[in-house]
């Protein structure tokens, strides 16, 4: 896997028109895109199909969680869309249902452990005992048991998770911020080089690229940093 395939740019924009313009500006600098709630609910699912048909890889960040049958039927349809990755919350029953539904499709299912916008206080407020690292560890173990394709977690827990899931599964880290970039609403962030060194296979970057005055240069800079980090590790 090349360095460019490790960078996933989040198309966190309000309209498909804006997303189309961003993809055009980025050109060949980016081969992998994330589409989440904001764009999905503005026509982004059809756009995701178009990007996939054009040869782009798509990380559909839907964070599914529902009764088993509903999760399974959703995953079956998403697998038909040509998506590369799909997220769901790492609850054991939901993961098992999703894995069975995606069997043979090539869709990589990713278990979301703890959102990078949450810290220990947020988890306590939500009713989870212990700290973020302990919950990430448990969710990662359960994802492996369920047969998931990988994990989404903060780069701060990447080394811990890599040791649990082994060398071959995907480890996707959002909350990536190049040196000097604002953290925004993320609470557990890391630079691209440090995330790769910690064991991440893919880095999700949105605002530092799409809000840059020169998105293409920003993406190329991150890819260059990934290349150097992979060579050093």
């Amino acid at each position: 896997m090349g360095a460019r395939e490790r960078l996933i740019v989040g198309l966190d924009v309000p309209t498909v028109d804006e997303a189309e313009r961003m993809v055009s500006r980025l050109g060949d600098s980016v081969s992998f895109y994330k589409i989440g709630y904001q764009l999905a609910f503005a026509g982004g699912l059809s756009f995701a199909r178009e990007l996939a048909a054009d040869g782009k890889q798509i990380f559909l960040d839907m964070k599914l969680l529902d009764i088993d049958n509903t999760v399974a039927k959703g995953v079956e349809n998403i697998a038909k869309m040509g998506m590369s990755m799909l997220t769901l919350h790492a609850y054991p029953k939901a993961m098992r249902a999703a894995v069975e539904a995606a069997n043979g499709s090539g869709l990589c299912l990713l278990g979301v452990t703890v959102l990078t916008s949450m810290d220990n206080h947020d988890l306590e407020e939500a009713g989870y005992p212990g700290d973020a690292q302990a919950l990430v560890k448990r969710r990662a173990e359960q994802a492996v048991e369920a047969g998931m394709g990988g994990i989404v977690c903060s780069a701060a827990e990447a080394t811990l998770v890599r040791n649990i899931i082994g060398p071959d599964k995907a480890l996707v880290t959002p909350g990536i911020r190049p040196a000097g970039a604002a953290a925004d609403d993320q609470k557990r962030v890391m630079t691209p080089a440090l995330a790769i060194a910690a064991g991440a296979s893919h880095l999700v970057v949105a605002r530092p690229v799409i809000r840059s005055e020169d998105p293409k240069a920003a993406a190329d800079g991150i890819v260059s940093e990934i290349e150097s980090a992979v060579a050093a590790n």
Side-chain angles (χ1 to χ4, degrees), residues 38-172:
Q38 183 181 26
L39 189 59
F41 298 145
L45 295 180
S46 294
F47 183 56
R49 289 189 182 92
E50 293 172 10
L51 287 176
D54 287 339
K56 300 293 187 182
Q57 295 188 78
I58 304 299
F59 168 24
L60 196 59
D61 190 17
M62 292 288 98
K63 299 183 181 71
L64 301 182
L65 181 60
D66 211 309
I67 64 172
D68 296 359
N69 183 67
T70 300
V71 168
K73 296 304 181 184
V75 169
E76 286 175 4
N77 279 340
I78 290 167
K80 297 173 185 177
M81 293 171 60
M83 303 295 97
S84 298
M85 290 179 168
L86 169 69
T87 54
L88 58 148
H89 283 288
Y91 284 66
K93 280 171 60 63
M95 290 191 291
R96 289 193 293 267
V99 167
E100 183 175 355
N103 185 39
S105 70
L107 176 65
C108 180
L109 297 173
L110 302 171
V112 176
T113 54
V114 176
L115 300 177
T116 54
S117 61
M118 301 181 73
D119 57 17
N120 292 342
H121 172 74
D122 297 316
L123 290 175
E124 181 182 0
E125 186 177 40
Y128 288 94
D131 59 17
Q133 189 174 82
L135 183 56
V136 169
K137 180 177 183 294
R138 180 59 177 146
R139 293 288 193 239
E141 291 168 345
Q142 292 170 328
V144 171
E145 292 169 2
M148 295 283 283
I151 287 291
V152 178
C153 69
S154 162
E157 288 97 34
T159 299
L160 168 70
V161 170
R162 179 57 73 195
N163 288 334
I164 293 170
I165 68 175
D168 299 326
K169 291 186 182 294
L171 201 167
V172 181

Side-chain angles (χ1 to χ4, degrees), residues 10 13 18 21 33-34 47 52 61 64 76 98 124 157 160-161 174 187 203 208 222 226 232:
V13 294
E18 289 181 60
R21 288 195 294 271
Y33 287 100
K34 175 183 79 74
F47 183 56
D61 190 17
L64 301 182
E76 286 175 4
E124 181 182 0
E157 288 97 34
L160 168 70
V161 170
K187 294 183 177 178
L203 312 182
I222 294 170
I226 292 172

